[in-house]
Every structure is written in C-alpha cells, then in structure tokens.
Amino acid sequence: MSGIVIDHNKCIKCLACIKACPFNALSLENDKIEVNAACRLCKVCIGVCPTQAISLQDVIKKVIDKNLYQGILVYVEHTDGNIHPVTYELIGKALELAKKIDQQVYCLFIGENIKEKANVLLEYGVAKVLVYDHLDLRYFRVDNYANVFESAIKKLMPNTVLVGATTTGRSLAPRVAVRFKTGLTADTTILQMRENTDLVQIRPAFGGNIMAQILTTKTRPQFATVRYKVMDAPQKVTNVTGSIEIGVVNESMLKSKIELLEVKRKEATFEISEAEVIVVAGNGVKDEKGLKLVSELAELLDGVVGMTRPMIEKGTGSYLQQIGLSGRSVKPKLIITCGVSGAIQFVAGMDKSDTIIAINSDPNAPIFKTAHYAVVSDLYEVLPLLIKQIKGEIINEL
Amino acid sequence: MKIIVCIKQVPDTQKVKVDDKTGVLIRDGIDTKMNPFDLYALETAMKIKEQINAEITVITMGPPSAKEVIKEAYALGADSGYLLTDRKFAGADVLATSFTLAQGITAIGGYDLIICGKQTTDGDTAQVGPAIAEHLAIPHVSWVVKIKDVCDKSITFMEDMLDDIAIAKMNYPCLITVDKDVFQPRLPSYRLKQQAETKTINILTLEDLAQKDSEHYGLSGSPTQVEKIFEPTSEHEVERFEQDDKNNAKLLYQKLKELKYVKELS
Ligand SMILES: Cc1cc2nc3c(=O)[nH]c(=O)nc-3n(C[C@H](O)[C@H](O)[C@H](O)COP(=O)(O)OP(=O)(O)OC[C@H]3O[C@@H](n4cnc5c(N)ncnc54)[C@H](O)[C@@H]3O)c2cc1C
C-alpha cells in the first residue's frame, strides 16, 4: 500500500489532521484515523501531526529512461490554418524551457492545406514543424486528431508537450495523455524546467486560493495545458534555421466516429482578452452614474470595460466582460480597476498585465498588493476629476 | 437507453487560506455539495429521459461521505447511483481518477451515453470526461452547448470548437461533456428528496472492479504528484497615491501621461 500511511501506535487521535485536510480525505472510522479516496497527497496532514504518526510511503515504480525523450512539442491551435495566438505564447515558453536543458522546440500542426502557413512558425525559432495535412483533418474531430497526435509523439519522442487550454485543446490533450499513460496538468500558470528535465507545473487549486506545484517524475512525455494570455509570445528570430517535415497520415487514423453535419464560424464576439487597455468596474461601482464614469474613462483611453464576477451576477454586464478565474484571463498593456477589492480569483485573471492601476477607497484593499499604482480614493470623486483633465476641461488647477 | 452521469462532491465554500505562520491550510466551513457543473449534466439526462425511454445512473468516486452527493442526484431524478470508494483510490490524479471511473462504469454494466459536467469547481481541469472516454475507447465530444436530437441509436448536438460552432452526431456508446448553457437545471423535488433518504446507494470497491491490481489506482496509478502547495504571492514595488481626491486625480493624470496613454493637451 502506498500513499499516506498512519501509524496507529503513534496516533493520539488529536484530529488535527482531519481539521487541516483540505480535501476532506481523513476521517475517524472505528476509532482510527483513516485515509479515504479523496486524498490528493498534498501532505498537509504530515506537517500538522504533533506525533509524526503520518508519513508518505512512496511508490516504487519503474522509472523510464528520460534521455529517450528530447525536446518540447507545442501543439498548434488554429482554425482553417489561422494560427491562434496562444500557440505563439506556448512557443515563447517552450523556447525558454528548452534552453534550460539544451533541447529543441517542435511544433505539431494538424489540418488541411496548412503547409504554407507552417513557415511562419519557423520564424520564431522553432527547430521543426511537423505537419499533418489531409482533407479529413480540415475540422477538429478529437478522435482523428488524437490518432495523429499519438503518431507524432511516437515519432518525435518529446520530453514535454504543451497544449493551449482552449476548448479544443482541453478536449484533445487528455485523450492523448491517457494513451501514453502519462501525467497532464491543466491550466498551468507557471512552468519551469529542472535540469533533470522534470517540468515544474504550477497551477491554481481550490478556486485559486492556493497554488499547487505538480511534477510528473516517472513518465514521459509530460503534458501541460496553458491558458491564453498567460505566457509571453517570443520575438521573431533573424535567421531561420528550422525545417518543415511532413508527417504520414494513414487511413486508419481517420475513422472518426463523430459525424460533422455543419460547421459555422462563430459570430464575432467581443473578446476582452484582445484589448490593450481595460478599465474594470467592481462592486464599488454602485450605480449607473459610476458605470458611466468607468465607460467614459475607457473610451478616452481607447479601451474597453471589464467587470468582476459580482457585477456579472448582478446583471450589470455580459459574461464576456468578466475577468478572473471563472471568466477571461487578460494581459493588457494597461488595466485600471475601479472599486475592485482584489480577490485572488479576480487577480488570477489579470496579474500579468503590464501596468496595473487600482482605485479603491479602502487603503488596505488587497488589490493594492497587485497594483503598480495604488490610488487610495473614492472613485466617484477621483474619476470625474481625472476625466476632466484628460478632456482638457481643467488644466493644472493645483 | 442507459445514461450514466458522472458527478462529484465538492467543497461548498472556496474559502481556503494558508496560515502565514504554520503554512497549514485553513478551511472554514466544509459543507459539501454537488459540483455545480454536474447539475447541467444531470439535467441533460433528465431532458433526454423526457423524450425517450431512458434510465439514469449516477456514478461518483469519493470518500464514504460522498453518498450525500448521490442522494442529491436522487432528489433531482436519478434512477440509481454508485459510489466508488476504497482507500486504494486515494491520491488519484486525472489518469487514475478517470481510470477508476471507467472501471466503475464497466462494472455497472452496459451504457449508451455518458454525460459529464464541463469541469469541477475544485479541480477545474475539464479533463476527466475526455480521459474516461479514452479509457473506454469510445468517442467523446467536449463543450456541448445544445442537444439537437436524441434517438435510441445516436445523439445530435452543437459543440463549441474554438472559432467555430459545429453540429455533430455520434452513435452510442459515446461520452459528452456539457457546457452550462445546455439546459437550466431544475430544483430538487420534495417528494424525491424524501424518497432519496431510503433509496439504495450501491458501493463499489476495488474488489468489484475488473482490474484488481491496485497499481492502477490512487497514488500508484497517478503519474503526477503534488510536490507542494503554497499561497500565491506578489512581490513588487507599489507606488501609492494617498493624498486628497483632487491631488490623487492629478497624480494619476500625470502618470497616465507619462505612460503615454493620454496625449499632452496644448
Ligand atoms: C471559485 C470562484 C471563482 C471566482 N471567479 C471569479 C472571477 O472569475 N472573477 C471575479 O471577479 N471574481 C471571481 N470570484 C469572486 C471573488 O472571490 C470576489 O468575490 C470578487 O472578485 C469580488 O468582486 P469585487 O472586487 O468587485 O467586489 P468586492 O469584493 O465587494 O469589492 C468592492 C471594493 O470596492 C471598494 N469600494 C467601494 N466603494 C468604493 C468607492 N466609492 N470608491 C472606491 N472604491 C470603493 C471597496 O473598498 C471594495 O474593496 C470567484 C470566486 C470563487 C469562489
């Protein structure tokens, strides 16, 4: 038996572990503390036990030869060959991770009539783009794509595979990872490479209240998905050295059981993550008047209005405007929050922004820890004055 | 037809904090409830049942106390429920969890359609559904936003595909994960709630599954490990504007000018 083990001779049944366990995975059964199926091995219980009665019995498992797996593979997300920008962000991260272990970055590009478009990926310093081009791969169908993905992995034997945490990416990555009986970490926000080629994968857990650092030490490749607007896209390189390689598509890969009857382009929707300037209205914006101030400022700065979750729940805005863990991640050049407290779930969706200005009347508002500029003011006072200055209606009165 | 809905019990409050001094997690109020996204999955099953003859089975993996979530499903209209619980399932990541659920689903007997919520509120991975389908070697489609048609052989639906919306059809057996726009979940019925108290909850342990080698389950079957957990920190310089509103507005204006977001007015 491996996992959390309780030495019942040492246990004094103080129940500290039960109270501390974030997963509700410990309970008192027949007068003994037992671990149940909810355990996620976070090891919190080990730390709180006053008598050192709890320990982690490690699994002795076959460890594969990690040297057989080389390089970082980025899955190219696209629609009709138009590459989704999350792909470049993944390439940026992959290049950084690969450098650490002196390995290369590859791309996997699956679609129809995409050979030409693969060239642009090379301009970012990718060593190889593996292209699978076939009429039946025109549209994303997860079973066909998983078959091709599997074949590409067997060919390249990458150490790490990065996939965008898009709707399609989050459908595809788990199928492929299961095929290789390997680990997949979803929605990672920080990735680091260790010298022994283990990928350190950090992601928010428990609705973002804490961060979990996750490793896949015994299997390869190591899969991670990353949300759009979390990593930075790389610069183009001056001399392109990489090459395009055409992968072989077999009929056996194309026996999809998903019959596509119709595919329509989504209507162009408002996409807040594309904005360069965002002004956010939080709960401190209490009425129509406040909202107008926020919109006016956004307009003057060529920006758009974002909102916190309570505002969406109140029906003040559309879900597409919600920033945070359960909304959109954004990384604009400038974000100004007005009447936002700075809950971790909100901050998780915007803390990568270049410049963060927070306006809040509470000098101790948590948002001021995230902000670069903390404006301790009533938004109903400061916004009209600011707007007037921008419009040139008051000039240097002070 | 036979429909299986995968459900999970999650903490009701997300107020988990780390004690600065001890580094220990503090949870206040550990009420649990059904993962909100699973309500949409169960509702989808109920809507299908209103159209064609169907039997709805819910399955969950969790501690013995996760029986409660099956009762919740009964109160909403599920016909039968299974709880996968065993100490050997502890420490499971996505791979081991999906494997265990796939084993459990196989142990229950036949199925036509498996429905999962799009993700959970505690794990947030959106991966277990597709992973179950892979273990069972059946097709799946994630992010189903609308059910167009169901018959005893196939299901037709709308799926979200990044920049496209597709209408697609799959024959059974297959798995779908549904988005929250699919149907509005109903409220539990008082009558069903009463009945749920006495309704049988089937328990499945490792012994009941076809794959009995414990190496495939829990920690042993999990390629990922949580190395540590910590509270997110942000360490950087903060410039504070703490004068009166008038001066703050002026300082802010100057800052925006300096950052070149507003033009110098002449
Ligand atoms: C699982 C989970 C996911 C979540 N996901 C998200 C998410 O994606 N996005 C999100 O935003 N939230 C999310 N939340 C909710 C989050 O925890 C907070 O409740 C929310 O972000 C708070 O919004 P707020 O800052 O607008 O409101 P409040 O917390 O109410 O803050 C209002 C702030 O306005 C200030 N204020 C009031 N009046 C004025 C004034 N006149 N001038 C200046 N300042 C003023 C107050 O000092 C206060 O700091 C999530 C929660 C959970 C549990």
Side-chain angles (χ1 to χ4, degrees):
Chain A
M1 173 79 191
S2 56
I4 296 291
V5 177
I6 295 161
D7 182 340
H8 295 295
N9 296 323
K10 282 191 191 166
C11 175
I12 52 166
K13 283 174 248 163
C14 66
L15 309 188
C17 53
I18 296 184
K19 286 199 199 95
C21 174
F23 299 97
N24 217 358
L26 294 161
S27 53
L28 196 63
E29 314 253 332
N30 304 325
D31 211 32
K32 273 185 183 167
I33 309 261
E34 299 285 6
V35 188
N36 65 48
C39 174
R40 278 293 282 120
L41 268 309
C42 70
K43 303 191 273 269
V44 162
C45 54
I46 298 178
V48 297
C49 178
T51 59
Q52 280 87 47
I54 309 177
S55 60
L56 178 69
Q57 204 154 308
D58 217 351
V59 253
I60 306 141
K61 216 182 179 183
K62 274 181 284 165
V63 179
I64 46 94
D65 182 357
K66 292 177 186 173
N67 288 324
L68 293 175
Y69 296 81
Q70 298 272 334
I72 298 178
L73 178 63
V74 171
Y75 172 73
V76 179
E77 191 72 74
H78 72 102
T79 303
D80 273 351
N82 298 315
I83 297 170
H84 189 285
V86 71
T87 309
Y88 299 111
E89 296 178 2
L90 294 180
I91 292 172
K93 190 47 148 188
L95 288 165
E96 186 193 311
L97 297 171
K99 203 170 158 197
K100 182 87 190 269
I101 48 173
D102 206 14
Q103 295 188 4
Q104 292 186 314
V105 174
Y106 313 121
C107 283
L108 168 62
F109 200 175
I110 309 173
E112 185 226 2
N113 208 359
I114 50 169
K115 284 178 199 143
E116 287 301 309
K117 290 173 174 138
N119 284 311
V120 58
L121 296 163
L122 295 176
E123 293 171 19
Y124 290 91
V126 172
K128 190 192 287 180
V129 183
L130 189 51
V131 175
Y132 289 83
D133 195 317
H134 192 283
L135 184 65
D136 284 351
L137 295 172
R138 172 156 182 208
Y139 294 113
F140 174 80
R141 271 180 295 173
V142 66
D143 41 4
N144 284 354
Y145 271 50
N147 292 338
V148 173
F149 211 140
E150 179 188 347
S151 163
I153 287 177
K154 285 186 175 152
K155 192 178 165 82
L156 291 171
M157 299 279 277
N159 157 55
T160 295
V161 178
L162 302 181
V163 181
T166 59
T167 46
T168 43
R170 291 213 270 179
S171 175
L172 180 61
R175 277 209 94 117
V176 183
V178 167
R179 243 172 241 196
F180 289 90
K181 300 274 176 286
T182 187
L184 163 60
T185 307
D187 282 358
T188 49
T189 52
I190 302 171
L191 291 171
Q192 289 152 359
M193 189 59 84
R194 289 197 176 150
E195 264 152 34
N196 69 357
T197 74
D198 283 350
L199 183 68
V200 179
Q201 305 154 96
I202 299 175
R203 70 180 303 262
F206 298 110
N209 290 286
I210 54 167
M211 305 298 283
Q213 179 164 323
I214 298 164
L215 275 100
T216 307
T217 55
K218 295 178 185 123
T219 57
R220 289 290 184 269
Q222 323 170 69
F223 278 74
T225 64
V226 184
R227 276 221 228 176
Y228 180 34
K229 292 280 174 183
V230 171
M231 305 299 178
D232 295 314
Q235 299 290 328
K236 287 193 179 177
V237 293
T238 38
N239 63 325
V240 171
T241 50
S243 61
I244 308 263
E245 191 179 320
I246 305 296
V248 182
V249 183
N250 296 323
E251 285 306 315
S252 63
M253 298 175 184
L254 305 172
K255 295 191 172 138
S256 180
K257 289 182 177 155
I258 305 160
E259 187 187 345
L260 286 181
L261 305 174
E262 193 186 326
V263 181
K264 274 193 303 212
R265 190 58 33 95
K266 272 189 211 165
E267 278 167 38
T269 45
F270 169 75
E271 188 43 73
I272 195 157
S273 55
E274 304 293 344
E276 296 209 330
V277 176
I278 303 175
V279 184
V280 185
N283 238 344
V285 176
K286 295 183 192 78
D287 48 21
E288 214 35 62
K289 190 177 140 213
L291 209 56
K292 232 176 123 192
L293 291 169
V294 169
S295 323
E296 196 172 357
L297 179 61
E299 208 168 299
L300 287 168
L301 300 174
D302 279 332
V304 299
V305 176
M307 293 195 189
T308 58
R309 192 167 80 169
M311 301 296 277
I312 306 307
E313 283 168 351
K314 276 191 282 185
T316 313
S318 127
Y319 173 70
L320 297 171
Q321 287 173 285
Q322 186 187 319
I323 294 168
L325 202 67
S326 51
R328 293 283 197 279
S329 288
V330 298
K331 205 170 58 151
K333 292 211 166 74
L334 171 70
I335 189 164
I336 304 179
T337 68
C338 309
V340 173
S341 59
I344 191 81
Q345 294 88 1
F346 171 78
V347 166
M350 52 67 76
D351 61 352
K352 304 272 180 2
S353 308
D354 292 352
T355 302
I356 303 171
I357 299 176
I359 304 173
N360 197 308
S361 46
D362 173 5
N364 299 317
I367 190 71
F368 291 152
K369 286 194 208 132
T370 308
H372 304 108
Y373 303 100
V375 184
V376 187
S377 264
D378 185 331
L379 69 95
Y380 286 90
E381 300 294 333
V382 84
L383 285 182
L385 289 167
L386 177 64
I387 288 167
K388 278 191 180 142
Q389 285 179 86
I390 298 175
K391 284 173 153 177
E393 290 170 14
I394 33 171
I395 307 164
N396 274 353
E397 249 184 31
L398 301 157
Chain B
M1 71 182 285
K2 282 190 168 169
I3 306 175
I4 292 183
V5 182
C6 301
I7 58 175
K8 187 183 180 191
Q9 191 178 47
V10 296
D12 197 0
T13 77
Q14 298 277 326
K15 287 185 190 131
V16 194
K17 280 214 169 78
V18 179
D19 187 315
D20 288 339
K21 287 193 199 81
T22 60
V24 167
L25 279 173
I26 312 161
R27 261 184 323 174
D28 44 38
I30 39 161
D31 280 353
T32 55
K33 62 171 182 186
M34 191 188 303
N35 170 39
F37 295 110
D38 297 342
L39 294 171
Y40 300 92
L42 190 52
E43 186 61 37
T44 306
M46 297 293 292
K47 282 281 177 350
I48 292 172
K49 192 179 168 173
E50 284 168 12
Q51 277 189 35
I52 60 174
N53 187 17
E55 191 193 312
I56 303 169
T57 303
V58 292
I59 185 165
T60 190
M61 178 180 106
S65 58
K67 274 182 190 158
E68 291 306 314
V69 76
I70 292 180
K71 281 189 198 162
E72 264 183 78
Y74 284 161
L76 290 162
D79 298 304
S80 58
Y82 287 79
L83 168 62
L84 278 156
T85 190
D86 196 305
R87 285 176 53 202
K88 298 201 174 70
F89 300 159
D93 68 356
V94 171
L95 184 72
T97 303
S98 57
F99 180 76
T100 311
L101 283 163
Q103 285 285 315
I105 288 167
T106 309
I108 295 172
Y111 59 89
D112 298 297
L113 176 64
I114 302 171
I115 312 178
C116 300
K118 69 162 180 166
Q119 64 192 61
T120 59
T121 52
D122 62 343
D124 248 349
T125 74
Q127 293 175 351
V128 171
I132 292 172
E134 181 64 32
H135 285 298
L136 294 171
I138 59 170
H140 90 273
V141 165
S142 293
W143 319 100
V144 166
V145 290
K146 198 174 191 166
I147 306 292
K148 301 282 271 187
D149 191 35
V150 265
C151 67
D152 54 7
K153 286 202 177 55
S154 67
I155 179 161
T156 309
F157 49 83
M158 263 164 89
E159 69 167 304
D160 184 329
M161 285 203 315
L162 201 63
D163 298 320
D164 292 331
I165 288 278
I167 298 177
K169 184 173 152 184
M170 276 193 291
N171 288 333
Y172 308 134
C174 63
L175 180 148
I176 57 172
T177 79
V178 294
D179 211 336
K180 59 181 179 185
D181 299 322
V182 70
F183 290 113
Q184 191 53 42
R186 69 196 60 204
L187 294 169
S189 119
Y190 177 74
R191 182 180 56 85
L192 290 173
K193 216 169 175 168
Q194 295 294 315
Q195 287 171 8
E197 285 307 315
T198 51
K199 207 165 160 153
T200 320
I201 293 168
N202 306 285
I203 305 287
L204 295 173
T205 65
L206 183 57
E207 285 308 299
D208 303 305
L209 305 180
Q211 174 57 267
K212 292 192 167 43
D213 182 351
S214 64
E215 282 300 294
H216 291 87
Y217 300 91
L219 174 66
S220 320
S222 298
T224 67
Q225 303 99 45
V226 179
E227 194 181 46
K228 65 171 183 189
I229 52 176
F230 56 95
E231 194 158 29
T233 49
S234 55
E235 290 152 23
H236 63 85
E237 293 280 314
V238 184
E239 192 178 323
R240 294 179 73 99
F241 302 164
E242 293 188 279
Q243 304 187 22
D244 62 24
D245 295 331
K246 219 169 174 180
N247 277 312
N248 277 352
K250 197 178 166 214
L251 290 168
L252 182 51
Y253 173 66
Q254 270 159 1
K255 188 48 76 184
L256 288 174
K257 226 162 53 178
E258 192 186 308
L259 296 167
K260 299 201 168 35
Y261 286 101
V262 292
K263 281 179 222 80
E264 193 79 52
L265 291 158
S266 52

